[in-house]
Amino acid sequence: GESVGLHLPTLSVQEGDNSIINCAYSNSASDYFIWYKQESGKGPQFIIDIRSNMDKRQGQRVTVLLNKTVKHLSLQIAATQPGDSAVYFCAEGQTGANNLFFGTGTRLTVIP
Amino acid sequence: GAVVSQHPSRVICKSGTSVKIECRSLDFQATTMFWYRQFPKKSLMLMATSNEGSKATYEQGVEKDKFLINHASLTLSTLTVTSAHPEDSSFYICSARRTFEGEQYFGPGTRLTVT
């Protein structure tokens, strides 16, 4: 399968600061990328997605950046709050294919 | 909208027994459902993909005779872990997709412990 990895397994930030979570992928055929948030004992929750014809997409307090040249994806969370503490996964997929491949996850801890 | 439920949320069973986990799309029809497995502090690993009314497609290394998947309706898929062993203890998560290229909506997961 495809390899989707994260640069940092853990990230601690002060409340109110911005967080940046990174993800590398290896399948150049992937054209759909998603960030998920998973709290302890729960299923993943969709945060934001981006297609390969875009390099940036913004949501509420979150921004995803896609650099296809270096196969890199990042999630930026503005004004990080304690409720943002969770594990964040990136996932990649291809149009027309069923599967999503998940990265290893980054645990974000927000320090009050 | 797009809520996916799983039942049970937690189950403990004895080694050698079978356990069934249900995944339901509550407010939409899911043409495709996915089953994932997640070990502690690890990522989600896709086990199988099931389309309503057809046989599931299993990922490499997943035993189809051990992990039986049934997707009998557009709102229900079941995963049965047969002859469970302690190494089958894990967090099992399903997801459902409304259309072929739609977003996957995840269930809350089922924690299986085999003693």
Side-chain angles (χ1 to χ4, degrees):
Chain A
E2 291 78 4
S3 169
V4 182
L6 290 167
H7 293 311
L8 294 172
T10 61
L11 177 66
S12 295
V13 299
Q14 289 289 139
E15 181 178 356
D17 287 352
N18 296 334
S19 303
I20 299 176
I21 301 171
N22 296 303
C23 180
Y25 65 96
S26 60
N27 186 359
S28 55
S30 293
D31 60 3
Y32 181 51
F33 305 88
I34 311 171
W35 280 101
Y36 288 96
K37 173 186 179 183
Q38 186 179 28
E39 297 175 80
S40 181
K42 298 183 180 179
Q45 177 187 355
F46 174 91
I47 302 173
I48 192 167
D49 61 357
I50 189 168
R51 292 208 171 267
S52 59
N53 60 350
M54 303 172 69
D55 52 21
K56 180 179 179 179
R57 191 165 186 221
Q58 287 184 290
Q60 189 176 17
R61 280 203 308 121
V62 294
T63 301
V64 55
L65 299 178
L66 175 63
N67 186 331
K68 295 181 288 294
T69 303
V70 295
K71 298 191 187 71
H72 184 267
L73 192 68
S74 70
L75 176 70
Q76 300 177 4
I77 304 174
T80 315
Q81 302 168 359
D84 295 327
S85 294
V87 177
Y88 290 81
F89 293 97
C90 67
E92 62 174 321
Q94 296 178 42
T95 302
N98 276 321
N99 305 351
L100 283 178
F101 293 94
F102 282 77
T104 51
T106 293
R107 178 171 296 282
L108 173 66
T109 301
V110 181
I111 304 165
Chain B
V3 178
V4 177
S5 71
Q6 281 184 241
H7 179 78
S9 57
R10 290 177 177 270
V11 58
I12 300 173
C13 70
K14 292 190 176 179
S15 192
T17 63
S18 296
V19 61
K20 182 187 285 188
I21 302 169
E22 292 184 350
C23 176
R24 293 182 186 272
S25 55
L26 297 185
D27 51 3
F28 67 99
Q29 292 187 327
T31 52
T32 306
M33 287 185 168
F34 305 86
W35 287 96
Y36 295 83
R37 183 174 181 175
Q38 186 177 31
F39 290 106
K41 299 185 180 179
K42 296 292 184 183
S43 188
L44 282 73
M45 223 177 52
L46 180 66
M47 297 175 66
T49 302
S50 72
N51 291 297
E52 184 264 339
S54 61
K55 288 185 180 179
T57 303
Y58 290 81
E59 294 299 303
Q60 192 173 7
V62 178
E63 300 174 60
K64 58 177 141 185
D65 293 332
K66 180 167 185 62
F67 298 100
L68 301 178
I69 291 172
N70 185 283
H71 191 163
S73 79
L74 285 171
T75 59
L76 173 64
S77 176
T78 60
L79 168 68
T80 302
V81 183
T82 62
S83 188
H85 290 286
E87 56 265 31
D88 297 325
S89 298
S90 190
F91 194 49
Y92 292 88
I93 305 172
C94 74
S95 70
R97 188 164 67 190
R98 209 191 312 245
T99 62
F100 188 62
E101 293 183 312
E103 178 187 329
Q104 287 189 33
Y105 300 95
F106 284 83
T110 296
R111 172 77 57 196
L112 170 64
T113 303
V114 184
T115 60

